[in-house]
Amino acid sequence: MGIPTVKREVKSYLIETLHSLIDNLYPEEKLDCVIVVFIGETDTDYVNGVVANLEKEWRTKQNLDYCFLMMYAQEKGTYYIQLEDDIIVKQNYFNTIKNFALQLSSEEWMILEFSQLGFIGKMFQAPDLTLIVEFIFMFYKEKPIDWLLDHILWVKVCNPEKDAKHCDRQKANLRIRFRPSLFQHVGLHSSLTGKIQKLTDKDYMKPLLLKIHVNPPAEVSTSLKVYQGHTLEKTYMGEDFFWAITPVAGDYILFKFDKPVNVESYLFHSGNQEHPGDILLNTTVEVLPLKSEGLEISKETKDKRLEDGYFRIGKFVNGVAEGMVDPSLNPISAFRLSVIQNSAVWAILNEVRQYMKSVKQLRFYIFFFFTTFGFHT
């Protein structure tokens, strides 16, 4: 993540921004990312003191600052997301961004937007930064950088012989918006002397009604009746929550992995902020080992075996099922949630997470970079 900062005459928001970014990271996420802070200032005492923020007098300097920051950060990670030094973030923002990018890994996108304001929360694939920087260098004196981004897309995909609607459709394939916004602008005093800017992202306050995780590829199915298109497939992919009409005994939710995986633990969370009472009740968690015979398991685990080869390893309590998987059952071919009694309420499943023993991680760098125009500290 890249954060350029300059000196503000009235108030600096850098420390609050960094606190918000870091405090909302899980411990494992802190090991998987680097924040880059670019201080566009020539005063070495100021830089070394990390007080952040230089007064900007020209839009052109801001554009160049962005370019220098992107060039430095390009080799540091798989993706680069542009932030500012006067923002706050939503809880679980890092995992949400990472999973959204993973879901679109096969798409030919150029910009993922996690905020609707200006240049905040715009994410790029690291190799594309070269093209973006070269384009900005050509026109940095003409327009703000967020305007130049739209021009880059126009040059890439728009045909002068086609109408504006066709152009907008083509650009929409390269510029994908995530909602609700994950970043909110909080700075009131601009880095430009005397300027007050009351910019807020209206989408930021909208609740995220599901929690997104990267789960192993699987075929999902259910006997439950889906409500208004809130399908299980979308939930497993992190696109929506699953919502079903009143479960009855014998109903199930099945996650059948494409390839058996070693699972350390699991978490299933039902209900959400808008419908906290729509939870799974009287529902058990079951796993199907790859090998049904010859397992070296304890008597306690053996007693949990069902007639169809599944092992009952947990149940929902107050809408949540969470626990460890006996290592002797690995690798696992499938997870199944089984309803054992009729329910009086509908059911929402808003979080599905299976913790693997080894997960390939993409690198999101958050690196503190303090520089003057000549040397690094």
Side-chain angles (χ1 to χ4, degrees), residues 5 27 75 118 128 329:
T5 184
E75 300 300 323
D128 289 340
L329 296 177

Side-chain angles (χ1 to χ4, degrees), residues 127-170:
D128 289 340
L129 293 179
T130 299
L131 171 64
I132 293 169
V133 168
E134 289 177 350
F135 191 92
I136 295 170
F137 274 157
M138 287 190 291
F139 302 105
Y140 70 93
K141 294 182 180 180
E142 310 301 327
K143 293 182 179 180
I145 196 166
D146 49 316
W147 293 16
L148 292 178
L149 282 182
D150 191 69
H151 289 308
I152 294 174
L153 298 180
W154 192 96
V155 171
K156 284 183 68 68
V157 298
C158 291
N159 186 337
E161 298 180 356
K162 302 285 186 177
D163 60 19
K165 290 184 178 180
H166 179 269
C167 180
D168 289 340
R169 288 195 300 270
Q170 295 301 309

